[in-house]
Amino acid sequence: MVATPSTMVGLGTKAHSFLLPDVQSGTLYDFNFSSKAKGCLIAFICNHCPYVLHLLPILTQLCNQWQEKGLEVIFISSNDVENYPADSPDLMMQLAKEYDFKFPYLFDEDQRVALAYQASCTPDFFLYDSRYSLFYRGQFDDSRPGNNKVVNGHDLELAVEGLLSNLSAPEIQHPSLGCNLKWKKGNEPDYFTPNK
């Protein structure tokens, strides 16, 4: 496990369209900017990462609530399942059922979506406004496995509630931190240093 920060892509960066299989429905999910949602949260996670599992109960609860308020929520797993079989689509489906995901959990097998979004860790959060411009990228909160801080989702919740209330993006945004995304050989990106 290598603790890796998010890349902190520039605010205002536009989202990328994609077509990926949803392990829950068994259908392809077409993210093509046609949604009438108030915004969109894309979270890169995986099944086995201790950083993800640490916050997943609260994260799922909040995401289910945010979706009811009009936010589109999408979880994506991009890890190399050949070398990390715990992140296979079958186990993704089990995780989604266990935590009652009411939103898509997509499998990015060739890792093109992770590369397009410059995802680097799990979890890695990208919150977009209704025009698909990046509003927030960073941590869920400052709780980490073993640091004895309560998981409450404060940072991401503040950003989501601000977005839904038509407020400005949070001025202070701290990078997320988690396990490095498990790249296939030859896919390793060169964007791991966060922007200041």
Side-chain angles (χ1 to χ4, degrees), residues 55-66:
L55 55 82
L56 196 55
I58 302 301
L59 172 63
T60 302
Q61 178 183 346
L62 287 173
C63 285
N64 287 340
Q65 293 172 3
W66 293 334

Side-chain angles (χ1 to χ4, degrees), residues 44-50 52-53 56 76-79 86-87 92 95 105 122-123 179 182:
F44 290 86
I45 72 162
C46 70
N47 302 339
H48 80 278
C49 171
V52 171
L53 297 175
L56 196 55
I76 300 175
S77 179
S78 301
N79 276 358
D87 294 323
M92 287 172 61
L95 187 80
Y105 189 16
T122 53
C179 297
K182 304 304 188 284

Side-chain angles (χ1 to χ4, degrees), residues 107-119:
F107 180 42
D108 178 25
E109 183 174 12
D110 62 14
Q111 305 184 319
R112 289 183 184 179
V113 177
L115 288 165
Y117 279 81
Q118 297 188 32

